[in-house]
């Protein structure tokens, strides 16, 4: 259905008039202008002048002038204009045009019957001019009849030209010349809070480093890819990496809108942050029991066996959803609003401490350990080691900030498990880079919270402490959003990142949920009572070892931080098909596994190893990617041996192919 077929030229012209400003702010408008030139809607001279313009502000002004010219000179071609700008290639490149077309489709744009006040005033002025011209014509007729010319206007202008005694004695009555002033539309001291403008109700311009993009508000609330840059979609953490701020690992304070962080906008209620984590089980369950493990195994098999072709085509990552899918958030009641206000205050305090720590880390000088800008630190205490996350740190006993392979711990808990001293001190005994943790505290890189702090990290309630037991980011794609937490380990996942995909029906009961990593670890002792040879493992039926294959794929997804083996290289890599005759990638392996296209484990292993072979062949002159591919291959072979309980003496995986 074409919405243009149901609208008159007058309505389309009114819609055009109200949309000129939005279209003039589009990034890289060259393709848009070329389309107008190709359809003879703008002159060639005007097109060339604007194409050569390099200044962004001047270009936006020029685009607006071009659209103004189209409105004035081409009103009869308004339907041709909308038909040519609503072409597919322009809709893919410009989110603004997609939003405009959606307004026409869903009827959200209101066609006003009455003209605005400003236009009515202009009509009044035109009526006055017509009356004045009519009066002049009557005067001319009278002059012709009487034969006398009236010199009233000349005498009035002469009197105005001669200064009178009153004007000389009272200079304050002299006319002041009004000069044009280039000033801001905001009053002095008023902030340009563009996120409150109706124009930015759906989208918001954001920056990270030297990169600029457009944030779609509703997509942020659902945890999807919500930031578009020249046709490319990013998650907030992906845009943070794209802008060169990956080391900060906190997109809420790396991405800005007019020098205001997204974290501050979320705290102020101007943006809706995606749900962080949710748990499906109560705390009184025991997820490590054998019955729980067997039930989790059965759920995994059920999801895998009953997965039809439609579910197999579902994207692995949550940001692969369709571009136009925007879900509407439900209205909160008064109690939830009060809770959100308290959370906003707590996040505000945390943001201030975080900014203080960042400032201290960036301004410190005098040693290699003082000028630190990292947010994650590798720490050790005796024989155990872990990763300390600055954003989770509150004090020695508050804030589970140290993550080990098994769980999240406070510094005191980490110290208790690793120190054998009679009088241990977490500031001295926990080491970072061979130095005590007190060094980071003295340099204010780590900020200890006040005893009166009311943030969630310092809360003593069981719920707030339990919420710190799992990761804040997805273990697979490392982005935030609506996460499902494992009840046995600290990992969190998007429902579609986990293998097998976690359906809402499975989350509806009160039983604990275990991820594939934990199910395999807990069941391996009775699944493999004795070791097998490498060849015996390859000849196993794939239907009996879906769990092991899913585990191996999850390990590869987690290890492939640069995503070199995830997506189809034929789309993104130039000349790939001319070099590689049999392309294969991880997403394709997942699809084949879900569609039951593999008969044996050997077929599955062959496809995975072919990924690494293709990587080495195509990147023979690129040492960096060759090293990445070799690292993933070594990981896969090592985990394969461990997962299938392979005997130590066996042929290597590469020789078996």
């Amino acid at each position: 259905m074409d919405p243009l077929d149901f609208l008159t030229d007058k309505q389309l012209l009114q819609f055009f008039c109200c949309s000129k400003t939005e279209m003039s702010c589009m990034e890289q408008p060259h393709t848009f202008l070329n389309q107008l030139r190709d359809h003879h809607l703008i002159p060639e001279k005007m097109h060339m002048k604007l194409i050569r313009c390099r200044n962004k502000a001047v270009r936006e002004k020029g685009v607006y002038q071009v659209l103004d010219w189209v409105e004035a000179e081409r009103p009869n071609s308004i339907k041709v204009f909308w038909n040519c700008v609503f072409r597919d290639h322009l809709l893919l490149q410009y989110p603004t045009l997609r939003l405009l077309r959606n307004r026409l489709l869903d009827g959200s744009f209101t066609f006003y019957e009455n003209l605005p006040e400003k236009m009515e005033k202009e009509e009044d002025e035109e009526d006055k001019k017509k009356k004045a011209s009519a009066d002049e014509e009557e005067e001319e007729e009278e002059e012709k009849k009487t034969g006398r010319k009236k010199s009233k206007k000349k005498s009035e202008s002469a009197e105005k030209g001669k200064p009178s005694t009153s004007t000389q004695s009272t200079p304050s009555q002299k006319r002041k010349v009004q000069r044009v002033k280039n000033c801001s539309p905001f009053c002095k001291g008023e902030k340009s809070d563009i996120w409150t403008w109706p124009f930015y109700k759906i989208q918001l311009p954001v920056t990270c480093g030297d990169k600029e993009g457009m944030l779609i508000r509703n997509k942020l609330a659902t945890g999807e890819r919500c930031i578009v840059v020249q046709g490319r979609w990013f998650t907030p953490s992906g845009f943070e990496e794209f802008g060169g701020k990956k080391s900060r690992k906190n997109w809420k304070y790396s991405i800005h809108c007019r020098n205001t962080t997204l974290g501050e906008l979320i705290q102020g209620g101007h943006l809706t942050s995606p749900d962080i984590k949710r748990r499906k089980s109560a705390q009184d369950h025991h997820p490590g029991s054998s019955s729980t493990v067997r039930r989790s195994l059965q759920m995994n098999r059920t999801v895998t066996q009953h997965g039809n072709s439609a579910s197999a085509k579902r994207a692995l990552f949550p940001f692969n959803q369709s571009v136009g899918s925007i879900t509407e958030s439900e209205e909160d009641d008064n109690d939830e609003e009060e809770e959100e206000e308290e959370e906003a205050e707590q996040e505000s305090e945390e943001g201030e401490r975080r900014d203080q720590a960042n400032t201290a880390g960036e301004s410190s000088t005098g040693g290699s350990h003082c000028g630190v800008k990292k947010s994650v630190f590798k720490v050790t205490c005796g024989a155990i080691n872990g990763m300390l996350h600055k954003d989770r740190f509150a004090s020695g006993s508050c804030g589970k900030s140290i993550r080990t392979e098994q769980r999240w711990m406070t510094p005191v808990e980490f110290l208790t498990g690793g120190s054998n001293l009679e009088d241990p001190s977490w500031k001295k005994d926990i080491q970072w880079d061979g130095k005590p943790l007190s060094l980071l505290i003295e340099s204010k890189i780590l900020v200890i919270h006040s005893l009166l702090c009311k943030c969630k990290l310092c809360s003593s309630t069981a719920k707030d402490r339990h919420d710190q037991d799992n990761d804040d980011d997805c273990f697979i794609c490392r982005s935030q959003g609506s996460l499902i937490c494992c009840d046995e380990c600290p990992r969190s996942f998007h429902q579609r990142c986990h293998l097998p995909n976690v359906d809402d029906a499975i989350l509806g009961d009160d039983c604990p949920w275990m991820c594939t990593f934990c199910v395999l670890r807990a069941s391996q002792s009775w699944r493999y009572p004795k070791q097998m040879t490498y060849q015996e493992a390859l000849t196993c039926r794939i239907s009996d070892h879906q769990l092991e294959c899913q585990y191996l794929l999850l390990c590869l997804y987690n290890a492939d931080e640069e995503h070199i083996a995830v997506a189809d290289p034929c789309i993104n890599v130039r000349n790939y098909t001319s070099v590689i005759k049999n392309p294969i990638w991880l997403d394709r392996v997942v699809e084949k596994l879900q569609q039951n296209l593999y008969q044996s484990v050997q077929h599955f292993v062959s496809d995975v190893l072919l990924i690494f072979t293709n990587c080495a062949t195509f990147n023979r002159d690129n040492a960096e990617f060759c090293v990445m591919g070799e690292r993933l291959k070594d990981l896969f072979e090592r985990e394969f041996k461990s997962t299938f309980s392979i005997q130590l003496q066996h042929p290597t995986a590469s020789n078996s192919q």
Side-chain angles (χ1 to χ4, degrees):
M1 180 186 69
D2 190 353
L4 302 180
D5 296 337
F6 302 94
L7 298 174
T8 64
D9 287 351
K10 183 179 179 181
Q11 290 175 323
L12 292 176
L13 196 62
Q14 186 181 2
F15 183 65
F16 176 87
C17 181
C18 297
S19 307
K20 288 188 297 182
T21 304
E22 295 180 64
M23 290 188 286
S24 66
C25 297
M26 293 189 300
E27 297 287 340
Q28 303 295 332
H30 300 84
T31 307
F32 173 75
L33 295 172
N34 292 340
Q35 184 82 344
L36 297 183
R37 189 269 314 270
D38 294 344
H39 286 74
H40 307 290
L41 290 170
I42 59 175
E44 181 69 25
K45 185 177 180 181
M46 183 182 296
H47 170 265
M48 293 302 299
K49 182 179 179 181
L50 197 55
I51 287 295
R52 294 169 183 167
C53 181
R54 296 183 179 274
N55 186 281
K56 182 178 178 181
V58 176
R59 185 171 64 239
E60 289 182 0
K61 183 179 179 181
V63 172
Y64 186 87
Q65 292 175 348
V66 166
L67 297 175
D68 221 6
W69 185 89
V70 171
E71 182 184 10
E73 303 296 332
R74 299 281 195 269
N76 296 329
S77 303
I78 191 63
K79 184 168 289 188
V80 177
F81 171 86
W82 287 118
N83 274 321
C84 79
V85 301
F86 283 165
R87 300 289 176 86
D88 290 341
H89 65 286
L90 291 180
L91 293 176
L92 287 174
Q93 183 173 352
Y94 299 109
T96 301
L97 295 180
R98 288 201 299 271
L99 293 172
L100 293 177
R101 191 173 188 276
N102 289 338
R103 289 180 193 171
L104 291 178
L105 283 172
D106 57 22
S108 58
F109 180 80
T110 304
F111 295 97
Y112 298 98
E113 296 180 359
N114 299 325
L115 294 173
E117 183 178 353
K118 183 178 180 180
M119 296 180 68
E120 291 175 356
K121 289 182 178 179
E122 291 177 356
E123 288 187 349
D124 293 341
E125 292 177 359
E126 290 179 0
D127 293 340
K128 290 180 181 179
K129 290 180 180 179
K130 290 180 181 179
K131 291 180 180 180
S133 61
D135 293 340
E136 290 178 359
E137 290 177 359
E138 291 178 0
E139 290 177 359
E140 289 177 358
E141 291 179 358
E142 290 179 1
E143 290 174 0
K144 290 179 181 179
K145 292 179 181 179
T146 57
R148 296 179 181 179
K149 294 183 178 180
K150 295 183 179 181
S151 58
K152 183 178 180 180
K153 292 183 179 180
K154 291 184 179 181
S155 61
E156 287 179 357
S157 61
E159 290 177 0
K160 288 181 181 179
K162 294 180 181 179
S164 62
T165 55
S166 62
T167 57
Q168 291 178 358
S169 60
T170 56
S172 60
Q173 296 180 1
K174 290 183 179 179
R175 293 182 62 189
K176 294 183 180 180
V177 179
Q178 294 183 353
R179 298 179 180 177
V180 179
K181 296 181 180 180
N182 298 322
C183 59
S184 169
F186 304 101
C187 300
K188 188 175 181 181
E190 183 180 359
K191 293 184 178 180
S192 56
D193 297 340
I194 64 172
W195 44 86
T196 61
W197 297 1
F199 174 68
Y200 291 113
K201 183 179 180 180
I202 298 177
Q203 59 186 8
L204 204 62
V206 293
T207 59
C208 184
D210 59 347
K211 304 298 182 181
E212 298 179 356
M214 192 66 68
L215 182 144
I216 309 302
R217 294 187 178 218
N218 288 353
K219 287 184 176 289
L220 173 66
T222 58
E224 309 175 42
R225 287 191 296 177
C226 57
I227 300 177
V228 59
V229 181
Q230 298 180 5
R232 295 178 59 188
W233 287 88
F234 297 91
T235 59
S237 56
F239 184 64
E240 179 185 37
E241 180 178 351
F242 182 65
K245 303 292 185 180
K246 180 181 178 181
S247 59
R248 299 192 66 177
K249 292 186 178 180
N250 194 333
W251 58 266
K252 291 183 180 180
Y253 295 92
S254 299
I255 303 176
H256 294 75
C257 174
R258 289 285 185 92
N259 298 323
T260 301
T261 64
L262 295 191
E264 294 173 349
L265 295 183
I266 292 172
Q267 294 165 13
H270 302 293
L271 288 176
T272 302
S273 177
D275 296 333
I276 300 301
K277 291 179 288 190
R278 55 179 171 145
R279 242 169 239 290
K280 72 177 293 292
S281 63
Q283 295 183 34
D284 54 353
H285 290 288
H286 301 283
S289 62
S290 60
S291 60
T292 302
V293 174
R294 293 180 186 274
R295 187 180 183 280
S296 299
L297 267 172
Q298 185 63 33
M299 287 193 299
N300 286 354
R301 288 175 180 171
T302 303
V303 171
T304 303
Q305 292 172 358
H306 294 280
N308 53 21
S309 59
S311 64
K313 292 180 180 179
R314 294 195 319 179
L316 178 67
F317 295 109
F319 48 71
N320 285 341
Q321 297 174 357
S322 61
V323 173
S325 62
I326 299 179
T327 58
E328 298 181 358
S329 58
E330 300 178 354
E331 297 182 356
D332 299 54
D333 52 21
N334 295 333
D335 295 337
E336 291 176 346
E337 289 179 358
E338 292 177 0
E339 292 178 1
E340 289 179 357
E341 291 178 0
E342 294 178 359
E343 292 177 0
E345 294 178 359
Q346 295 170 1
E347 289 185 3
S348 178
E349 295 177 2
E350 294 174 7
E352 293 176 0
R353 281 191 292 268
R354 189 179 294 110
D355 293 339
Q356 180 183 355
N358 290 339
T359 305
E362 294 175 3
S363 62
S364 300
T365 56
S368 60
H369 299 294
C370 295
V372 179
K373 298 182 181 180
K374 298 193 301 181
S375 58
V376 180
F377 306 90
K378 185 176 182 179
V379 294
T380 59
C381 183
I384 64 173
N385 56 71
M387 302 299 293
L388 187 147
H389 293 249
K390 183 175 70 174
D391 295 335
R392 278 176 166 248
F393 177 80
S395 65
S397 58
C398 296
K400 296 182 179 181
S401 56
I402 301 179
R403 188 193 190 279
T404 64
E405 186 65 25
Q406 290 77 28
R407 62 192 185 98
W408 283 91
M409 294 185 283
T410 64
V412 171
E413 292 171 344
F414 184 71
L415 177 68
T416 305
S419 177
N420 296 322
L421 300 177
E422 295 181 358
D423 186 19
S425 172
W426 63 271
K427 295 182 183 179
K428 294 187 298 182
D429 296 338
I430 298 179
Q431 301 285 314
W432 162 71
D433 200 14
K435 302 291 183 180
L437 207 60
S438 58
L439 179 67
L440 296 177
I441 298 173
E442 292 171 0
S443 57
K444 295 185 179 180
I445 296 173
L446 294 179
V447 179
I448 297 179
H449 293 200
S450 167
L451 294 175
L452 302 178
C453 180
K454 298 180 180 179
C455 73
K456 288 187 176 181
L457 295 176
C458 298
S459 175
S460 59
T461 63
K463 180 182 179 300
D464 288 336
R465 295 185 68 85
H466 194 45
D467 286 342
Q468 301 176 35
D469 288 341
N470 288 82
D471 299 336
D472 297 328
D473 301 326
C474 176
F475 186 73
I476 302 301
C477 67
R478 293 181 174 81
S479 63
Q480 295 184 349
S482 181
L483 304 176
I484 175 68
C485 302
C486 179
D487 289 300
E488 181 71 10
C489 73
R491 298 181 183 91
S492 300
F493 303 87
H494 292 112
Q495 290 179 237
R496 277 181 269 186
C497 284
H498 186 268
L499 291 177
N501 298 151
V502 184
D503 293 332
D504 291 332
I506 296 177
L507 299 178
D509 54 34
D510 295 330
C511 297
W513 179 78
M514 295 171 62
C515 67
T516 297
F517 293 89
C518 296
V519 172
L520 182 67
R521 185 182 68 248
S523 64
Q524 194 162 11
S525 60
W526 50 268
R527 285 172 63 87
Y528 296 97
K530 63 178 182 178
Q531 291 184 328
M532 65 174 70
T533 64
Y534 189 81
Q535 197 60 35
E536 289 174 345
L538 293 179
T539 57
C540 292
R541 292 188 306 172
I542 196 74
S543 58
D544 296 332
H545 298 278
Q546 288 270 1
L547 178 65
E548 290 82 349
C549 296
Q550 291 165 349
Y551 167 80
L552 293 171
L553 288 171
L554 290 176
C555 289
L556 291 175
Y557 273 113
N558 174 259
D560 187 12
E561 297 183 10
E562 303 298 331
H563 302 291
I564 64 172
V566 173
D568 184 359
C570 303
I571 299 177
N572 303 319
V573 182
R574 184 180 300 176
N575 301 325
Y576 189 83
T577 53
S578 62
V579 179
I580 304 300
K581 302 305 179 184
N582 298 311
I584 189 69
W585 54 97
L586 287 179
D587 283 354
R588 178 56 184 156
V589 174
V590 171
E591 289 181 6
K592 295 177 70 174
L593 184 65
Q594 291 176 333
Q595 294 172 355
N596 300 321
L597 299 181
Y598 294 122
Q599 299 300 321
S600 66
V601 174
Q602 184 173 5
H603 295 151
F604 167 78
V605 173
S606 298
D607 267 0
V608 174
L609 292 180
L610 183 58
I611 297 177
F612 309 133
T613 303
N614 291 345
C615 178
T617 302
F618 187 80
N619 298 291
R620 62 183 59 171
D621 297 328
N622 191 328
E624 181 182 1
F625 282 93
C626 283
V627 171
M628 292 180 184
E630 284 296 323
R631 180 176 58 84
L632 292 176
K633 180 181 178 182
D634 293 341
L635 170 68
F636 177 77
E637 293 181 341
R638 185 172 64 252
E639 292 297 332
F640 183 85
K641 299 171 189 177
S642 173
T643 304
F644 283 87
S645 298
I646 304 297
Q647 295 177 1
L648 295 179
Q649 294 181 354
H650 57 79
T652 60
S654 57
N655 293 336
S656 66
Q657 301 302 317

